[in-house]
Amino acid sequence: ANDSTTAEEKAAAIEAIVSMWDSADRSQLHYLCKSDRAGLRRLGCEVMVYCADRDNVDLLLPLLNDTHPEVKISALVALGHLQVK
């Protein structure tokens, strides 16, 4: 598989998983955002956007300095969607 297909498949999988969440509590978001796996950290960002969760945005801030570029982008996008200033 080529890299663009893999990225598209990852994005589709994340979108499908996020659509199953009605809400997330802080412990679940903490687990996702602090995970060793970049995909789970990205999922944490997406869940916050999907749930319009502005109460836990502090969990996104460390992800702005994540070593994985896709996680950084997801955190920035999430902060933008949540209109955090």
Side-chain angles (χ1 to χ4, degrees), residues 37-53:
R37 300 186 60 122
L40 291 179
R41 294 191 305 275
R42 235 181 116 194
L43 179 60
C45 297
E46 300 290 336
V47 168
M48 277 196 231
V49 170
Y50 185 80
C51 297
D53 185 350

Side-chain angles (χ1 to χ4, degrees), residues 16-72:
I17 292 168
V18 168
S19 69
M20 291 187 283
W21 289 64
D22 288 328
S23 64
D25 65 31
R26 184 167 177 90
S27 64
Q28 292 169 320
L29 291 170
H30 184 269
Y31 171 79
L32 292 173
C33 291
K34 299 290 184 180
S35 174
D36 290 337
R37 300 186 60 122
L40 291 179
R41 294 191 305 275
R42 235 181 116 194
L43 179 60
C45 297
E46 300 290 336
V47 168
M48 277 196 231
V49 170
Y50 185 80
C51 297
D53 185 350
R54 298 178 86 193
D55 295 332
N56 293 302
V57 294
D58 60 295
L59 296 174
L60 293 175
L61 300 179
L63 299 180
L64 296 174
N65 296 314
D66 199 274
T67 57
H68 200 281
E70 289 183 10
V71 175
K72 285 182 185 182

